[in-house]
């Protein structure tokens, strides 16, 4: 075979058997027939050959690369066809310390819903607050089963100590990583909890 390492020998005629060979002549990881769909989607651009269709480009401008859309089964030519995106609902929130411990909820979203299980790790990735002194949080995996779009995780803000000097504002930076399943990362991959004394 001129375009691959495997060869096929056809020794007999088989009625009603159709064989389709899929090639990736430009060796970019996207099969040519899929690249052709992007080429055919618009005549008002400079995308005319499979070499012009790049895996990391985003033809439909929906924020997901051509390669990720093809991998996840969405249409790279339709901005309304997007894979599930894992993200925090908001990028930050502010809480005031109190005389008692306070538990706050942080929302993690997967939208649109996936048809199979998707998970991601929520972990502390920085900040100025000190674990066990200012807050309690255990790094954890959030798991979305098919159809779920919303998960809550809890961060506990530790109570002010009596006779303590007022501290400057502190922060906890939570981040999303270790995505698993048929999804991509969305916006808001970090969530900052601001703690006011």
């Amino acid at each position: 075979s001129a375009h691959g390492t495997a060869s096929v020998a056809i020794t007999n005629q088989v009625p009603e058997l159709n064989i389709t060979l899929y090639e990736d002549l430009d060796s970019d990881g996207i099969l040519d027939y899929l690249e052709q769909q992007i080429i055919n989607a618009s005549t008002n651009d400079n995308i005319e050959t499979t070499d012009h269709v790049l895996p990391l480009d985003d033809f439909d401008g929906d924020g997901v690369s051509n390669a990720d859309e093809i991998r996840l089964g969405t249409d790279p030519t339709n901005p309304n066809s997007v894979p599930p995106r894992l993200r925090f609902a908001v990028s930050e929130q502010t809480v005031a310390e109190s005389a008692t411990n306070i538990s706050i909820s942080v929302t993690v979203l997967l939208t649109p819903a996936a048809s199979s299980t998707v998970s991601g790790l929520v972990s502390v990735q920085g900040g100025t607050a000190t674990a066990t002194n200012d807050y309690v949080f255990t790094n954890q995996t959030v798991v979305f089963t098919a159809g779920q779009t919303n998960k809550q995780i809890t961060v506990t803000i530790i109570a002010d100590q009596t006779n303590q000097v007022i501290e400057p504002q502190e922060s906890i930076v939570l981040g999303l990583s270790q995505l698993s399943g048929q999804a991509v990362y969305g916006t808001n991959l970090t969530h900052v909890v601001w703690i006011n004394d």
Side-chain angles (χ1 to χ4, degrees):
S1 171
H3 301 293
T5 57
S7 61
V8 176
I10 299 178
T11 58
N12 294 318
Q13 291 185 353
V14 180
E16 298 180 29
L17 174 66
N18 293 318
I19 298 174
T20 303
L21 299 176
Y22 295 113
E23 296 180 300
D24 181 11
L25 294 176
D26 58 359
S27 301
D28 65 356
I30 300 177
L31 296 173
D32 293 345
Y33 83 96
L34 295 169
E35 290 180 317
Q36 192 63 48
Q37 292 173 2
I38 294 173
I39 294 166
N40 296 343
S42 175
T43 57
N44 298 326
D45 58 33
N46 293 326
I47 302 174
E48 298 172 357
T49 70
T50 58
D51 289 336
H52 296 153
V53 179
L54 303 176
L56 298 180
D57 281 355
D58 178 14
F59 178 80
D60 58 8
D62 62 4
V64 182
S65 72
N66 297 331
D68 279 343
E69 289 220 49
I70 290 167
R71 176 179 62 85
L72 296 171
T74 55
D75 183 351
T77 67
N78 180 352
N80 296 317
S81 174
V82 294
R85 295 177 180 167
L86 181 68
R87 64 185 180 89
F88 287 106
V90 295
S91 61
E92 60 184 77
Q93 71 186 99
T94 302
V95 62
E97 286 183 349
S98 147
T100 59
N101 290 355
I102 302 171
S103 291
I104 60 168
S105 288
V106 176
T107 303
V108 181
L109 299 175
L110 181 69
T111 53
S115 59
S116 58
T117 300
V118 172
S119 65
L121 178 68
V122 179
S123 61
V124 176
Q125 295 185 346
T128 59
T130 306
T132 69
N133 187 36
D134 298 312
Y135 70 94
V136 176
F137 178 78
T138 303
N139 294 347
Q140 56 196 271
T141 299
V142 289
V143 178
F144 293 84
T145 57
Q148 290 183 319
T149 59
N150 184 311
K151 290 288 184 171
Q152 301 293 318
I153 59 171
T154 302
V155 179
T156 301
I157 308 303
I158 296 178
D160 272 338
Q161 302 300 315
T162 55
N163 301 322
Q164 180 177 331
V165 176
I166 293 178
E167 299 174 303
Q169 186 179 57
E170 296 174 301
S171 62
I172 308 163
V173 179
L174 301 175
L176 285 168
S177 61
Q178 299 182 21
L179 174 61
S180 175
Q182 297 293 303
V184 294
Y185 291 113
T187 56
N188 295 340
L189 294 182
T190 58
H191 179 86
V192 181
V193 179
W194 297 101
I195 304 170
N196 291 331
D197 199 347

